[in-house]
Amino acid sequence: MTFSKILIANRGEIACRVIRTARNLGYQTVAVFADADREAPHVALADEAVHIGASPAAESYLRFDAILEAARKTGADAVHPGYGFLSENAAFAQACVDAGLVFIGPPASAIEAMGDKALAKRRMIDAGVPCAPGYLGEQQGDAQLIEEAEKLGFPLLVKAVAGGGGRGMRLVRHFAELQQGIDGARREATSAFGDGTLMLERLIDNGRHIEIQVFADAHGNAVYLGERDCTAQRRRQKVIEEAPSPVVTPAMREAMGKDAVAAALAVGYRGAGTVEFIVDDKLKHYFLEMNTRLQVEHPVTEMITGYDLVEWQLRVAAGEPLPAKQSDIQLTGHAIEARLYVEDPYAGFAPQTGKVLWWQPARALHAGVRIDDGIVQGSVISPFYDPMVAKVIVHGRDRNDAIRRLRAALANTPLLGLRNNGRFLSDLVDHPAFRNAGMTTTMIDQWMEQGEPLLQAAVPSDDVWRVAAMAMAMRHGNSWRSDSVAAFDMNVQCGDLVRSVRARPDRLGGISLILDGVAVQARVLTFTEGVLRFEIHGVVQSAVVVASGTEVHMALNGHSFVFSEVSAFPNADALKDASRARSPVAGKVTQILVAAGDAVQDGQAMVCVEAMKMEMWLTAEAIGTVQAVNAKVGDQVESGALLIELEIELKTTKDA
């Protein structure tokens, strides 16, 4: 099973991650890329790269033929699937083997056994591994699913039996939500995995998501490398992972580890895998599923064990025995990973697209800090793939040490140009629920419903407005505006708020910034390569400032804001127009529920746009009649595209 050149059948940060370890071990690497990724970092990092199709994953990263042809063309003799895409596709694993390639992952038979969640759960029940009650039957009609759901009771999960990553999964808390949950899960599963088969699972409410990293070789050896706590999730998608779990005892770790190893051996497993459990409030664990691949969160395990899990994958795939025995594996310190998503946590986690204006992760690379990314400054984020663009991972001597290091690393690694969850992640790990190990898998979703302050965008302080005004005055050069002007006013906008700042330069290089009648003396010291060094209130500070068109993107003290200088007069064209419903994101139109001539009510769902694994619904914002529908199902649309035109019903006042 020797090989010398590895094709990475993936993209983004995981492709870069695999390439680095492969090259460290002396392997040649081949990247594949779609149209949207021609300039992507993984393409430049590999020794060779092959174009495999159009931007949508179904036309590129999910194409067996294109990937196998790329291997043939470059002479690659092994394939690493990364995670997502084809990583848990048994047919692809077998196709690689049939083509004479080494598949760096488990055998197709193991993927098939664990890839079908219903089948995997049956195997676990037979093996005596505790499982949550559910419906695993082959009868897939709506009537059957509804009948079984009523037997189980609510809340419950409607889950796709194929795939993973939270796709094809719906939480149903009440009977009234069931039909919509079934329809949504089936539609998403069919789109993502080509298989709409569903299962039902009783929800372990207020649970924690804890998973065990397992590894097996071709010589009958298998070990577990501790656990990861992935409880901090939104919409069934993980946002923070840590190892070890703050609630797992040594005895619990051993029990879960033995269950996980037994699960792997039962299906003839080989390579890296993760057995996921849900843990109830009494710390009793129940099998959820097995991910037959490397996990996104594998770096926290690497941090506390000192092992390179990709290196282990390559050695096992080459036929070598595991590099360590169970007794060799020791856990040291505490590690936390934060997933940096280009999505707006203060607007329902809506995905974002656009250009990365500032990304300098090297500024945060201190002791105990690691950043795995798949972007560079200037990268363009498209709507075709997952919104996760980087992972910030830290290792500390204990949990509090790790939290402090993570917050510092996030503050030192601002991503400017697109709204992202960087500040939210920092606030989350500092929240009492996280610090006190009180998170549950649904807590963030509950916070969204309850208006938790953590999910409300920060309001810039008066001094932040003043610094923004300084930056705007500087953006056209390193000098103040015309010396003939003793003072000038700027109308500065951030979000929906516009404030006026008067700037009064002095002859000594300082500037007085007057906001709401209060003057503060400031001074610009340097402004080079996007870093503004300034003094205010006698304190020297730095901010990252990048201009783009009329906007100034600024990161200061761990917060990021977008400012613009505007006219003092309101722009009527910028006011929200309820008669023109525009796409909230760039993405694919998956459903249209109205047609020309239809009457709509305020709040009625009209169009669904899918982007970055999330469905975004466009709803009517007033009572009216549909005049035109400017899209059809399957269309790729830009953010702000006009999709529905309405005639708004004018309100009238009845005579007394």
Side-chain angles (χ1 to χ4, degrees), residues 3 28 37 48 90 109 112 130 151 173 180 187 306 346 457 628:
F3 51 90
Q28 294 289 298
D37 283 336
E48 300 173 81
S109 58
E112 186 172 11
K151 291 179 184 176
R173 291 199 169 274
Q180 184 178 359
R187 179 178 61 253
Y346 313 114

Side-chain angles (χ1 to χ4, degrees), residues 605-625:
M606 299 187 294
V607 179
C608 180
V609 180
E610 182 181 303
M612 296 179 173
K613 299 170 65 173
M614 185 181 295
E615 291 185 340
M616 306 291 291
W617 280 95
L618 188 62
T619 59
E621 298 195 355
I623 298 172
T625 303

Side-chain angles (χ1 to χ4, degrees), residues 298-381:
H298 76 275
V300 294
T301 299
E302 294 183 322
M303 290 290 218
I304 64 169
T305 62
Y307 297 121
D308 182 331
L309 298 190
V310 173
E311 179 179 341
W312 277 37
Q313 284 188 297
L314 302 186
R315 295 196 182 284
V316 167
E320 297 179 23
L322 291 177
K325 302 187 297 293
Q326 190 66 60
S327 58
D328 298 328
I329 298 168
Q330 303 294 323
L331 310 183
T332 303
H334 198 94
I336 306 178
E337 173 182 286
R339 299 189 185 194
L340 190 65
Y341 289 106
V342 283
E343 59 185 19
D344 188 352
Y346 313 114
F349 295 95
Q352 309 292 303
T353 57
K355 186 175 182 179
V356 176
L357 299 179
W358 175 273
W359 177 246
Q360 298 286 342
R363 292 162 54 92
L365 293 181
H366 305 299
V369 178
R370 164 180 166 181
I371 297 176
D372 289 5
D373 60 3
I375 57 171
V376 293
Q377 195 163 295
S379 290
V380 176
I381 308 301

Side-chain angles (χ1 to χ4, degrees), residues 6-19 22 30-32 42 61-62 67 78-89 92-93 96 102-106 111 213 215 269-274 291-299 309-310 313-314 388 391:
I6 304 170
L7 182 145
I8 296 87
N10 217 296
R11 63 176 300 280
E13 66 87 16
I14 187 56
C16 295
R17 162 76 186 90
V18 173
I19 290 170
V30 178
V32 293
H42 76 279
Y61 297 107
L62 294 176
I67 293 171
V79 172
H80 193 302
Y83 52 70
F85 295 134
L86 296 172
S87 62
E88 294 182 281
N89 189 305
F92 177 68
C96 290
V102 174
F103 182 74
I104 303 175
I111 297 175
Q213 175 72 62
F215 239 100
Y269 203 78
R270 187 173 67 243
T274 299
N291 295 128
T292 53
R293 53 171 167 81
L294 196 67
Q295 291 279 89
V296 175
E297 56 272 21
H298 76 275
L309 298 190
V310 173
Q313 284 188 297
L314 302 186
M388 190 188 77
K391 303 181 303 197

Side-chain angles (χ1 to χ4, degrees), residues 229-242 296-297 336-341 343 345 349 388 390-392 406 410 421 424-426 428-429 434 439-441 444-445 447 454:
D229 195 317
C230 309
T231 301
Q233 303 179 9
R234 56 100 181 99
R235 292 173 178 160
R236 321 307 296 183
Q237 289 280 312
K238 303 165 187 174
V239 292
I240 296 284
E241 300 101 348
E242 58 182 321
V296 175
E297 56 272 21
I336 306 178
E337 173 182 286
R339 299 189 185 194
L340 190 65
Y341 289 106
E343 59 185 19
F349 295 95
M388 190 188 77
K391 303 181 303 197
V392 180
L406 178 61
L410 288 167
N421 69 337
F424 166 74
L425 293 169
S426 179
L428 176 59
V429 297
F434 187 89
M439 295 294 296
T440 68
T441 56
I444 294 176
D445 296 331
W447 286 346
L454 185 75

Side-chain angles (χ1 to χ4, degrees), residues 31 55 145 231 283 321 337 393 448 531 583 631:
S55 298
L145 292 173
T231 301
L283 297 185
E337 173 182 286
I393 311 109
M448 291 176 65
V531 179
S583 176

Side-chain angles (χ1 to χ4, degrees), residues 132-149:
Y135 172 70
L136 312 173
E138 297 180 359
Q139 297 299 319
Q140 289 288 304
D142 285 4
Q144 182 70 34
L145 292 173
I146 291 170
E147 179 182 341
E148 296 296 336

Side-chain angles (χ1 to χ4, degrees), residues 197-218:
T197 307
L198 302 176
M199 60 182 279
L200 305 177
E201 186 173 87
R202 186 76 164 88
L203 180 71
I204 306 299
D205 226 348
N206 298 318
R208 295 188 72 91
H209 182 123
I210 298 176
E211 60 191 33
I212 303 291
Q213 175 72 62
V214 295
F215 239 100
D217 61 24

